Amino acid sequence: MSARLHVGIDIGSTTVKLVALRPSSLVIVYSQYTKHLSDIKAAVVTLVQDAFAAIQDQECTFSMTGSGGMGVSTALDVPFVQEVIACTEAIQHVAPGTDVAIELGGEDAKISFFGKALEQRMNGTCAGGTGSFIDHMAALLKTDSDGLNEMAKRCKVIYPIASRCGVFAKTDIQPLLNEGALKEDIAVSVLQAVVNQTISGLACGKPIRGRVAFLGGPLHFMSELRKRFIETLHIAPDDVVFPDNAQFFVAIGAALCSCSTKSMRFSELISRLSRIQNMPRESVLLPPMFATDEEYNEFVHRHATHKVPRADPASFNGRCFLGIDSGSTTSKLVLIDERGRLVYSFYESNQGSPLATTVSALLETYRQYPGLTVLSAASTGYGEGLMKAALHVDIGEIETIAHYKAAEFFLPNVDFVLDIGGQDMKSMRTRNGAIDSIMLNEACSSGCGSFISTFANSLNMDVQTFAAAGVRSKSPVDLGTRCTVFMNSRVKQAQKEGAAVEDISGGIAISIVKNALFKVIRMRSPAEMGERIVVQGGTFLNDSVLRAFERLCGRDVVRPDIAGIMGAFGAALIARERYTRGHRSTVLGPEGLAALQTATTVQRCGRCANNCLLTVNRFSDGGHFISGNRCERGSVLPGVNAEINSDEAPNMYTWKYKRLFQHYVPLPPAKATRGDVGIPRVLNMYEDYPFWFTMLTSLGCRVLLSAPSTSKTYQLGMETIPSDTVCYPAKLAHGHILSLVARDIHTIFYPCVIFNIKEDPHGANVYNCPVVGSYPEVVRHNMRVPEGTRLLCPFLPLDNPQRLEFRVYEELKMLYHDLTQAEVSAAVCLAYKELEQYKADVRRAGEDALREMRRRGLHGLMLLGRPYHVDPEINHGIPDTITANHFAVFSEDSLAHLGRAVPFEQRPLRVIDQWVYHSRLYTAARFVAEQPDLDVLQLVSFGCGLDAVTTDQVKEIVERYGKIYTSIKIDEISNLGAARIRIRSLVSIIHERQSPRRSMSPLSITPPPQQPQQQTPTPTPTPTPQPVAVAAPEAVRPQEVALLANEASTPLVTELPPFPSVPLVTKDMLHTHLGLAPQFSPYHMELFLQAFKAIGFPRLAYLPHLTRDCIEEGLKYVHNDACFPAICVIGQLMHALKSGRYNPNKIVVLLVQTGGCCRATNYVSFMRKALLDAGMPQVPVFALNAYGMEDHPAWQPTLRMPFRSLAALIYGDLFMQMVQRVRPYELVKGSTAALHQHCMGLAMRQLVRCRRSEFAATVHEIIRLFDELPIDEVRRPRVGIVGEIMVKLAADANNHLVDFLEAEGAEAVTYDLSDFFLYCTYDHVTRNELLAGTWRLKFMSEALITVVEYMRDMVRDALSHSRRFSSLERIEELAQLAEQHGVSLCNQVRLTFQHRYVNDVAISRRAREHTRFRRPARAGS
């Protein structure tokens, strides 16, 4: 028999690779690399057969790996090895001495850190920053990955581009293309984005140092991608490891891993290939698009009636109106005649060059119509400004208005318009003939048409053929409703299972519509959209998308036959509407178009601190167009003197930023008796800097502030960021700390402030958000500062002056030994006065700006946000964009005090008002809502979960007064294309509301008006004073509020709708209503309900399972940015209440409130909003909490309630630990579950009787029975499960992770729920010792801990006699262990940082200390 070969097969997300190695020399004797084009089954069969033809029937060992390899390996009965392990094996054999390996695949990215212990990181579901992402971006530039690499070699500048997924990047790239940026620069920017995503998303704060290996197809084939990594990480040439066959490394590793497996003849593998076709299906299938041909024919006939009137070419006189829509991916042109009839239309991909495409189309138009006379022209879309400047178009209009005009033409008095384009999705609701609200997709363009075209291209199909296939789908694949890359992963899974193209096409269509309805529109019921609905945009030309929309919303809708060019058609209507007799259009004719040439340059503006990167397009006729500027200074050609416009509208963001930092001058070095102290310009410093500067300066410190934020600040600290999902303001903190270190500042002061100063007496609490409050602790643990540099991050009680004096002295005394308590007390007193002076200055300046705005007759926007949103790097110049539209800008804290003058009863909130920053949002929004000359625009940091609470509440406040709510999500990407569209849409709608309605419909087509359309004149602006500091105002008086009100204006609504009432639980309900609780933990829920039945709530039930339908229901009713547990909780309950199994008039919903700074405290408000939206406001919500946050006078707990509740808690923990401890080793399958049920009966009976002695005896009996269960003695690896409390405990929420681990041969370890309860209780002990807690709460908490530990002592006593189970850790013991690891116990972020860390310690001890976990006894013992 010939020598064996080792064969490794790597089945990736986009490619398949096979490698055969010789057993002795490990030399590759055969290799093959090919793309599977999503047909994995066929590709694997071909790959193996080709290898067999080359290798022949030799004796081989086989191993499979890769994201698509597990199912195939099972089908072929070939060993599977995880790809990270395979890659590590290859590195250790082929490239020993490697410190870090970076591998990029088709949809996978990995980093392996080698050293004393192997540490491996891998991306999750998201495919951002991988080969698939690069391919998508290359397709956008009309090239392939090789072409992209060649383009990047000729680059001159790098733009900031998102890489977290392809749809975000397209949102950034498309405006650059539309504004004339060079493809070469975009190409290198794409590669840099991949680098940034890999470092920030996978390194997670661990430095990439030493010898770095570059592996995987993209890094093997793309030299410029490697170059970007090398330059960004500053890798020396000798430390670059680029092995031969890097694209095969994972396959090589699989081959090496197969060395110890059983061999077989290659022909045996060939004989098994037929099994691949019978792989099990995991995808969920949906009903067919059309059940019968008749149903489809009726659908086609109905939509064929919605046609635009068309002009007769024979009678066309050449006089027309031109509309141009330069969209995100396509260019559209429309000509209409004087009667509004369509003359000509053009629709094509812009090929990445929108101007060239439009010029070519116009030249063709003039060729077809030699006598053409354009009376007026209008442009819209992303490229509106470029078209207007280059082609001398008469009118520029925001695309939302253009689309609305077109929809109104087809369906007068339209109620609702939905437009889905290539990258954009927008919906408009109308009221009284004007736009009432508008919603656009966020920075993410998931679920838009570009996903269909990109996926069709990946199958080598044109988009029309792929779309048409969906109509024939009989079993569409359910692909979910979330991000495109998540959908893409499900598509890949469906393809692995052999799903037909038509079923995938149909599934994509359904997912796009679900995304539009449930993510963008957030539709609860079809009634919200009204009866008269128009759908448009190129995506709706796909009949599958249209069919899915009509089925999901339950409405017959109007899809115009020109759905793809409605923007251009609306622009032409606007040109006709605004045309005046005698006007001569300035749009270029054929001669001007033929002569037009464009030269593009890129350079920095340099006229202000923003120093924007400008793209300058110069035209051969002397014109120009500049993009990339954040303010008006950048709109002037570089080299030309740009005068500062002294007539700019008031801008409180600019004023506040200057007042906050420029007002304070550090001590001279000679007077700084205690040396230099650095303070980073981050997060809470945008609120508290006046305080800390004053305090430290008074103590003799020279306070040095870090430099203003820039994108380089972010890049400086990028390596140390532990999580890519944290908000951009937090990411900047790392760079600011390092910038202070680089200035040789040896003491850096960055305190943790969990509790803020109370401003609104009606606020429920005074928390800072979890990131603001505790992020200094994250920075301290993830950043390595040089030896000798002190990073001071103490937890300080800013909300309590007396306690703060002591804590500051306690912390600083260790640094300044001569410090006295009297010095600190005086400094703290001065600091509080200065902080109040700063806030008073902001309020006074806000009032002055409001008066100035009204004196000049301007309109204002309240830019709601956090204090740190005034940072120009964070807000990306959005305030300047607003003032450029002649709107004044106000910060929330500049006018919020005026809202507090209104009695609290007149401004009730649905949510729990637990965060100080957000209290300002609510009161400021309430004030703005009543002012006819003010509107709201909310800034939301991407990744901010708390805004899942605030945005809905602010929206409810302003919409109650008939105002439009608009929000903009911001992150590290500074391209403002999408933001400008939102701002201009809001501005246009405000102007539209203020002007008389002018209808455009087929029934009212008339010749152009004889008289010019009167425009509302813009008042002559006057200079606005910009004071640095003003005197503190007196408290706001009622007459001052009246003075600031705009009495000359009429409010939008004359009668406000009543506030929804909150139903209370009455005493009768305890006996007549069923209490319904969501599933939380399968080990605890039945026990808890038994305990509650015994203490005054006799009729209780819980929902046993969390299904996929529950998740879908939760997505409908919970904000998109809410956490997964919120979606689970609300989804379960709403799905049950709408199922028909329960009578909503006889239900009480049971929920638990934590009372901490996590948004879990607001689950109750989420639930009440969901009930209101679903038409069930009568259902009361019974909120259980320990803080008296809600009154329940009808329910009086008994004296035995604590014992029963704690007993249920401890029983559940005991069952969870024992079941997970023995089930992996049970000799008789199912014996553990049977014993669990038997012991549950014992516990349930004991809970009814509620006797202490019986509790101890029952615990002893349960442990004895589990001790005697026959199990195997084979040792398994123990895997600890940590994370969010509900996701860990609810099996349905974590995809049955424990079952999966046990099936894979491991033993799962999950910490007790009582640990969480004790941790929350212990908070008050720590808060009293280190923050500003009360002795009363400390005493009560210690007493409660004593009671719990007393009951757990009974369990400990029983466990001490056990042969299998360990004892329980005390909360004080875990706290000491956490402190030994450097974690402060002041962390109050319940459910998150401290809790996880404390329980990580517990799990570590349980999983690793063999002395505490007994070895499993022998079978039968």
Side-chain angles (χ1 to χ4, degrees):
M1 184 178 294
S2 61
R4 295 192 308 167
L5 294 177
H6 302 311
V7 179
I9 303 174
D10 177 13
I11 306 174
S13 53
T14 59
T15 60
V16 289
K17 287 83 70 177
L18 185 147
V19 168
L21 305 176
R22 291 197 183 279
S24 55
S25 61
L26 299 182
V27 173
I28 296 178
V29 298
Y30 178 82
S31 63
Q32 189 171 348
Y33 179 108
T34 184
K35 290 190 175 184
H36 54 60
L37 298 177
S38 300
D39 191 351
I40 291 178
K41 295 180 180 179
V44 171
V45 170
T46 302
L47 184 79
V48 173
Q49 289 175 342
D50 290 348
F52 179 67
I55 296 173
Q56 299 300 315
D57 196 16
Q58 298 192 49
E59 188 78 8
C60 303
T61 60
F62 295 92
S63 182
M64 285 190 174
T65 188
S67 59
M70 184 174 289
V72 178
S73 71
T74 302
L76 298 181
D77 196 18
V78 170
F80 177 83
V81 58
Q82 212 281 335
E83 53 197 295
V84 175
I85 304 301
C87 183
T88 302
E89 186 76 13
I91 289 170
Q92 292 173 344
H93 281 82
V94 180
T98 297
D99 296 300
V100 183
I102 300 174
E103 185 205 349
L104 299 183
E107 288 185 358
D108 306 307
K110 315 173 193 68
I111 296 183
S112 299
F113 296 92
F114 302 92
K116 294 181 180 179
L118 178 65
E119 190 171 349
Q120 299 160 326
R121 317 279 176 83
M122 185 174 179
N123 67 328
T125 311
C126 181
T130 63
S132 176
F133 167 80
I134 294 172
D135 288 341
H136 287 180
M137 297 304 100
L140 196 62
L141 298 178
K142 304 304 174 184
T143 185
D144 55 15
S145 56
D146 292 335
L148 190 79
N149 191 65
E150 292 302 312
M151 284 182 183
K153 293 178 180 178
R154 304 188 297 273
C155 72
K156 295 180 180 178
V157 68
I158 298 178
Y159 294 100
I161 289 176
S163 175
R164 61 175 63 93
C165 72
V167 287
F168 277 91
K170 287 180 182 178
T171 305
D172 297 325
I173 289 174
Q174 204 62 56
L176 293 173
L177 288 172
N178 292 346
E179 293 166 358
L182 298 177
K183 290 185 177 181
E184 291 81 359
D185 295 335
I186 295 177
V188 75
S189 302
V190 166
L191 301 183
Q192 184 64 47
V194 172
V195 173
N196 294 346
Q197 171 73 6
T198 304
I199 296 172
S200 63
L202 293 184
C204 297
K206 190 174 181 68
I208 300 174
R209 299 288 186 270
R211 290 171 52 79
V212 181
F214 296 105
L215 310 173
L219 284 167
H220 176 78
F221 294 111
M222 303 188 72
S223 60
E224 294 304 300
L225 180 58
R226 294 196 303 273
K227 180 179 177 181
R228 298 310 324 142
F229 269 106
I230 292 168
E231 291 186 4
T232 302
L233 295 171
H234 307 291
I235 304 174
D238 293 342
D239 288 334
V240 176
V241 179
F242 182 50
D244 295 334
N245 301 303
Q247 76 274 32
F248 290 110
F249 239 61
V250 177
I252 292 172
L256 293 171
C257 290
S258 76
C259 294
S260 59
T261 63
K262 184 179 179 181
S263 66
M264 63 179 173
R265 307 289 296 187
F266 207 121
S267 57
E268 175 63 21
L269 182 64
I270 293 292
S271 68
R272 300 177 185 177
L273 289 178
S274 60
R275 301 180 187 175
I276 294 180
Q277 304 303 324
N278 300 320
M279 289 168 57
R281 177 183 290 274
E282 297 179 10
S283 300
V284 178
L285 303 181
L286 301 171
M289 281 290 182
F290 295 96
T292 63
D293 291 341
E294 291 75 15
E295 193 175 41
Y296 174 64
N297 292 334
E298 185 279 329
F299 169 86
V300 172
H301 175 74
R302 175 162 50 85
H303 286 288
T305 59
H306 307 304
K307 294 184 177 180
V308 65
R310 298 178 185 269
D312 181 4
S315 60
F316 176 53
N317 61 8
R319 293 165 58 84
C320 64
F321 299 92
L322 170 64
I324 301 173
D325 181 7
S326 182
S328 54
T329 58
T330 57
S331 294
K332 285 86 71 175
L333 266 68
V334 160
L335 291 179
I336 62 173
D337 66 9
E338 294 176 278
R339 297 180 59 190
R341 298 175 301 183
L342 182 67
V343 175
Y344 172 81
S345 64
F346 169 86
Y347 180 117
E348 267 191 20
S349 169
N350 59 33
Q351 304 294 316
S353 301
L355 180 57
T357 303
T358 303
V359 168
S360 176
L362 280 173
L363 285 171
E364 176 61 22
T365 305
Y366 280 114
R367 189 191 65 78
Q368 290 190 31
Y369 299 93
L372 191 69
T373 300
V374 177
L375 299 175
S376 183
S379 64
T380 192
Y382 268 101
E384 170 210 330
L386 177 61
M387 299 301 138
K388 195 169 184 293
L391 307 179
H392 299 273
V393 176
D394 304 282
I395 300 169
E397 183 56 87
I398 190 66
E399 58 187 89
T400 48
I401 300 298
H403 282 281
Y404 168 63
K405 291 291 185 182
E408 190 186 48
F409 180 94
F410 276 90
L411 188 61
N413 300 315
V414 60
D415 295 322
F416 183 83
V417 181
L418 176 63
D419 178 89
I420 303 180
Q423 289 288 119
D424 308 301
M425 185 184 302
K426 45 192 167 286
S427 67
M428 290 164 276
R429 291 185 176 91
T430 66
R431 183 172 60 181
N432 299 325
I435 297 177
D436 181 60
S437 67
I438 181 169
M439 299 186 73
L440 292 84
N441 57 322
E442 305 289 353
C444 178
S445 59
S446 62
C448 294
S450 62
F451 178 67
I452 298 177
S453 59
T454 300
F455 192 80
N457 292 335
S458 72
L459 299 180
N460 293 330
M461 298 175 66
D462 63 79
V463 67
Q464 291 80 11
T465 303
F466 180 74
V471 175
R472 303 189 300 272
S473 174
K474 298 303 180 184
S475 302
V477 181
D478 188 356
L479 303 175
T481 61
R482 299 227 115 179
C483 178
T484 293
V485 290
F486 287 83
M487 281 200 293
N488 201 47
S489 298
R490 292 191 180 181
V491 169
K492 300 292 184 186
Q493 178 62 37
Q495 290 171 324
K496 295 171 191 174
E497 298 169 358
V501 170
E502 53 264 29
D503 292 334
I504 293 174
S505 177
I508 289 175
I510 294 171
S511 291
I512 284 176
V513 172
K514 284 184 176 180
N515 181 71
L517 293 178
F518 304 138
K519 276 194 68 177
V520 178
I521 305 171
R522 297 174 61 197
M523 182 188 75
R524 309 292 182 256
S525 68
E528 297 177 13
M529 293 188 291
E531 297 292 335
R532 303 173 68 79
I533 301 171
V534 174
V535 296
Q536 55 196 46
T539 304
F540 272 111
L541 292 174
N542 182 334
D543 280 348
S544 301
V545 174
L546 179 61
R547 173 64 170 174
F549 181 85
E550 289 191 331
R551 283 175 52 174
L552 285 169
C553 73
R555 296 283 193 276
D556 288 345
V557 303
V558 171
R559 178 193 63 181
D561 63 331
I562 57 169
I565 59 171
M566 290 286 276
F569 185 70
L573 292 175
I574 290 171
R576 172 175 172 258
E577 178 181 312
R578 300 180 188 176
Y579 171 73
T580 58
R581 291 288 186 184
H583 171 75
R584 294 177 61 89
S585 176
T586 57
V587 71
L588 292 181
E591 296 81 7
L593 291 170
L596 183 64
Q597 294 183 348
T598 305
T600 303
T601 57
V602 177
Q603 61 189 87
R604 292 286 176 181
C605 176
R607 293 191 176 103
C608 70
N610 288 330
N611 198 25
C612 299
L613 184 63
L614 305 179
T615 300
V616 182
N617 293 273
R618 288 182 171 87
F619 309 121
S620 54
D621 60 2
H624 67 273
F625 175 71
I626 299 174
S627 60
N629 56 302
R630 301 184 187 179
C631 66
E632 291 183 318
R633 296 180 182 90
S635 62
V636 181
L637 280 173
V640 177
N641 183 31
E643 296 182 1
I644 298 176
N645 183 9
S646 60
D647 296 336
E648 288 182 353
N651 187 340
M652 278 302 300
Y653 265 55
T654 300
W655 185 95
K656 186 179 170 185
Y657 186 75
K658 292 178 180 179
R659 169 64 179 85
L660 182 63
F661 295 122
Q662 294 181 10
H663 182 76
Y664 301 100
V665 180
L667 289 173
K671 293 185 177 181
T673 57
R674 289 193 167 104
D676 295 345
V677 175
I679 290 184
R681 193 186 302 236
V682 298
L683 292 173
N684 54 356
M685 290 303 166
Y686 283 89
E687 173 84 0
D688 305 331
Y689 179 71
F691 183 97
W692 302 121
F693 175 90
T694 303
M695 186 194 78
L696 292 171
T697 300
S698 299
L699 293 175
C701 299
R702 180 171 175 243
V703 179
L704 301 176
L705 188 66
S706 61
S709 306
T710 66
S711 59
K712 291 183 178 179
T713 308
Y714 164 65
Q715 294 169 7
L716 181 64
M718 185 168 58
E719 265 192 320
T720 66
I721 298 172
S723 173
D724 188 45
T725 59
V726 76
C727 62
Y728 186 48
K731 292 177 181 178
L732 284 170
H734 299 259
H736 278 284
I737 296 292
L738 291 178
S739 71
L740 291 171
V741 171
R743 289 164 56 186
D744 206 27
I745 297 173
H746 298 295
T747 301
I748 299 173
F749 183 73
Y750 181 21
C752 297
V753 180
I754 293 176
F755 298 98
N756 213 317
I757 300 171
K758 193 162 192 173
E759 295 179 353
D760 191 335
H762 299 286
N765 219 315
V766 289
Y767 282 112
N768 279 322
C769 93
V771 172
V772 169
S774 295
Y775 206 73
E777 186 87 339
V778 176
V779 168
R780 184 170 68 87
H781 281 278
N782 284 277
M783 298 189 67
R784 299 176 182 177
V785 297
E787 189 174 350
T789 299
R790 296 176 291 266
L791 183 55
L792 305 179
C793 303
F795 282 79
L796 298 176
L798 191 63
D799 58 317
N800 189 310
Q802 292 76 26
R803 184 63 178 164
L804 180 65
E805 293 176 10
F806 173 77
R807 286 288 295 121
V808 169
Y809 174 73
E810 190 176 50
E811 293 290 340
L812 295 185
K813 180 68 175 177
M814 295 181 288
L815 185 62
Y816 308 117
H817 300 297
D818 61 339
L819 190 69
T820 67
Q821 181 69 66
E823 281 184 281
V824 172
S825 297
V828 168
C829 182
L830 288 174
Y832 275 111
K833 289 181 180 179
E834 179 55 36
L835 181 60
E836 178 51 39
Q837 179 65 51
Y838 161 72
K839 293 181 177 180
D841 289 352
V842 172
R843 293 192 292 266
R844 175 66 60 83
E847 294 175 9
D848 290 344
L850 185 58
R851 291 190 185 93
E852 176 67 11
M853 179 198 82
R854 286 173 172 165
R855 185 184 69 80
R856 293 162 56 182
L858 301 178
H859 203 91
L861 278 182
M862 171 70 74
L863 200 53
L864 296 176
R866 312 292 199 283
Y868 44 77
H869 282 149
V870 303
D871 185 340
E873 173 59 24
I874 294 174
N875 65 49
H876 300 308
I878 287 174
D880 297 323
T881 303
I882 295 171
T883 56
N885 285 277
H886 307 292
F887 272 55
V889 173
F890 297 91
S891 61
E892 68 287 341
D893 54 349
S894 66
L895 297 180
H897 61 292
L898 302 179
R900 294 192 193 100
V902 178
F904 179 73
E905 294 74 18
Q906 297 179 23
R907 50 186 177 96
L909 298 176
R910 173 182 50 82
V911 303
I912 305 299
D913 190 6
Q914 60 193 112
W915 304 292
V916 170
Y917 292 171
H918 306 132
S919 292
R920 298 174 191 163
L921 300 187
Y922 306 144
T923 53
R926 172 65 171 73
F927 172 73
V928 169
E930 289 190 318
Q931 310 303 311
D933 54 355
L934 290 175
D935 277 276
V936 161
L937 176 62
Q938 186 169 0
L939 291 180
V940 178
S941 290
F942 188 87
C944 179
L946 301 191
D947 277 329
V949 179
T950 68
T951 51
D952 276 351
Q953 180 63 80
V954 172
K955 185 172 185 287
E956 290 170 23
I957 292 171
V958 298
E959 289 187 347
R960 183 170 181 265
Y961 286 80
K963 294 281 183 109
I964 298 172
Y965 172 80
T966 306
S967 66
I968 295 178
K969 279 192 174 181
I970 49 178
D971 60 3
E972 59 264 35
I973 303 306
S974 60
N975 189 294
L976 291 179
R980 284 196 180 103
I981 290 175
R982 285 174 178 263
I983 293 168
R984 289 193 57 207
S985 295
L986 178 59
V987 169
S988 296
I989 293 170
I990 291 171
H991 288 325
E992 185 80 10
R993 283 181 160 196
Q994 295 172 346
S995 64
R997 185 194 175 208
R998 291 165 296 186
S999 176
M1000 286 298 300
S1001 70
L1003 301 179
S1004 60
I1005 296 176
T1006 58
Q1010 298 294 323
Q1011 299 298 324
Q1013 177 66 42
Q1014 296 296 319
Q1015 302 291 334
T1016 303
T1018 302
T1020 303
T1022 56
T1024 304
Q1026 297 290 326
V1028 174
V1030 295
E1034 298 177 2
V1036 179
R1037 300 180 299 274
Q1039 57 265 34
E1040 181 69 2
V1041 178
L1043 176 66
L1044 290 168
N1046 191 349
E1047 299 174 355
S1049 300
T1050 303
L1052 292 173
V1053 291
T1054 56
E1055 185 175 346
L1056 295 175
F1059 289 107
S1061 60
V1062 177
L1064 297 177
V1065 179
T1066 65
K1067 192 171 183 178
D1068 292 341
M1069 288 182 183
L1070 298 180
H1071 301 279
T1072 62
H1073 284 53
L1074 175 67
L1076 190 63
Q1079 175 62 273
F1080 180 78
S1081 167
Y1083 292 99
H1084 295 82
M1085 287 303 298
E1086 195 169 348
L1087 293 161
F1088 280 143
L1089 293 192
Q1090 179 71 5
F1092 269 79
K1093 287 179 182 178
I1095 57 178
F1097 218 137
R1099 301 190 64 218
L1100 295 174
Y1102 72 96
L1103 301 170
H1105 297 292
L1106 172 68
T1107 65
R1108 183 182 180 84
D1109 290 337
C1110 295
I1111 302 298
E1112 294 294 330
E1113 203 68 36
L1115 290 172
K1116 294 179 185 178
Y1117 289 97
V1118 181
H1119 194 283
N1120 298 323
D1121 292 331
C1123 56
F1124 182 61
I1127 294 171
C1128 293
V1129 170
I1130 308 305
Q1132 285 182 77
L1133 292 165
M1134 294 307 300
H1135 182 263
L1137 291 173
K1138 292 172 64 177
S1139 67
R1141 300 194 306 270
Y1142 303 96
N1143 180 0
N1145 297 315
K1146 294 293 183 179
I1147 286 290
V1148 173
V1149 171
L1150 301 180
L1151 287 177
V1152 176
Q1153 276 182 307
T1154 61
C1157 61
C1158 170
R1159 56 193 157 182
T1161 297
N1162 264 292
Y1163 284 9
V1164 172
S1165 66
F1166 287 173
M1167 188 66 216
R1168 286 182 174 140
K1169 183 177 188 303
L1171 290 168
L1172 191 64
D1173 291 341
M1176 293 182 278
Q1178 76 277 18
V1179 177
V1181 179
F1182 188 91
L1184 290 169
N1185 65 78
Y1187 302 96
M1189 300 172 70
E1190 300 215 4
D1191 294 327
H1192 300 293
W1195 184 62
Q1196 298 297 327
T1198 65
L1199 293 176
R1200 293 193 174 188
M1201 184 194 76
F1203 179 83
R1204 281 195 170 100
S1205 301
L1206 291 175
L1209 173 69
I1210 293 170
Y1211 275 136
D1213 288 342
L1214 188 62
F1215 287 139
M1216 181 171 63
Q1217 295 300 335
M1218 289 190 297
V1219 169
Q1220 292 182 4
R1221 184 68 184 86
V1222 302
R1223 187 169 54 196
Y1225 307 97
E1226 62 183 9
L1227 291 178
V1228 179
K1229 187 173 179 60
S1231 58
T1232 304
L1235 179 58
H1236 178 208
Q1237 287 302 311
H1238 171 72
C1239 293
M1240 274 286 290
L1242 299 178
M1244 297 281 280
R1245 286 191 291 274
Q1246 193 278 320
L1247 284 175
V1248 174
R1249 289 190 292 268
C1250 188
R1251 295 171 184 164
R1252 175 195 168 282
S1253 58
E1254 286 189 8
F1255 173 74
T1258 304
V1259 168
H1260 276 269
E1261 176 65 10
I1262 290 171
I1263 293 174
R1264 183 190 67 80
L1265 291 172
F1266 272 92
D1267 253 339
E1268 296 176 354
L1269 184 73
I1271 59 175
D1272 196 352
E1273 63 177 340
V1274 176
R1275 200 68 175 174
R1276 293 186 174 205
R1278 291 189 173 97
V1279 179
I1281 300 175
V1282 298
E1284 197 279 332
I1285 183 75
M1286 178 190 172
V1287 175
K1288 286 186 304 296
L1289 296 179
D1292 292 323
N1294 60 42
N1295 290 327
H1296 296 271
L1297 179 59
V1298 172
D1299 295 339
F1300 173 79
L1301 290 171
E1302 291 179 358
E1304 292 296 311
E1307 175 189 335
V1309 182
T1310 309
Y1311 58 77
D1312 296 342
L1313 182 57
S1314 56
D1315 286 337
F1316 170 74
F1317 176 78
L1318 287 169
Y1319 154 72
C1320 293
T1321 308
Y1322 198 78
D1323 276 350
H1324 294 288
V1325 178
T1326 303
R1327 184 173 173 181
N1328 177 265
E1329 294 174 353
L1330 298 176
L1331 293 173
T1334 64
W1335 284 102
R1336 175 176 171 272
L1337 280 176
K1338 179 188 178 184
F1339 174 78
M1340 292 176 61
S1341 298
E1342 288 177 334
L1344 184 55
I1345 290 172
T1346 301
V1347 172
V1348 176
E1349 293 292 14
Y1350 167 74
M1351 295 190 66
R1352 298 209 324 166
D1353 281 341
M1354 301 181 203
V1355 180
R1356 293 186 182 98
D1357 178 66
L1359 289 172
S1360 66
H1361 303 289
S1362 171
R1363 296 168 297 171
R1364 293 178 179 168
F1365 307 107
S1366 72
S1367 188
L1368 305 175
E1369 296 84 359
R1370 294 182 178 275
I1371 187 63
E1372 296 88 354
E1373 181 184 1
L1374 293 179
Q1376 291 173 3
L1377 287 170
E1379 284 187 314
Q1380 290 173 15
H1381 286 77
V1383 178
S1384 173
L1385 298 182
C1386 286
N1387 281 284
Q1388 301 287 311
V1389 187
R1390 297 197 174 107
L1391 308 174
T1392 51
F1393 182 67
Q1394 175 70 18
H1395 179 225
R1396 292 179 186 177
Y1397 200 96
V1398 167
N1399 287 283
D1400 287 356
V1401 173
I1403 281 183
S1404 176
R1405 299 186 70 185
R1406 294 179 187 178
R1408 297 191 329 205
E1409 293 185 16
H1410 289 228
T1411 57
R1412 297 179 64 81
F1413 280 92
R1414 274 72 164 179
R1415 186 177 182 82
R1418 292 183 179 275
S1421 63

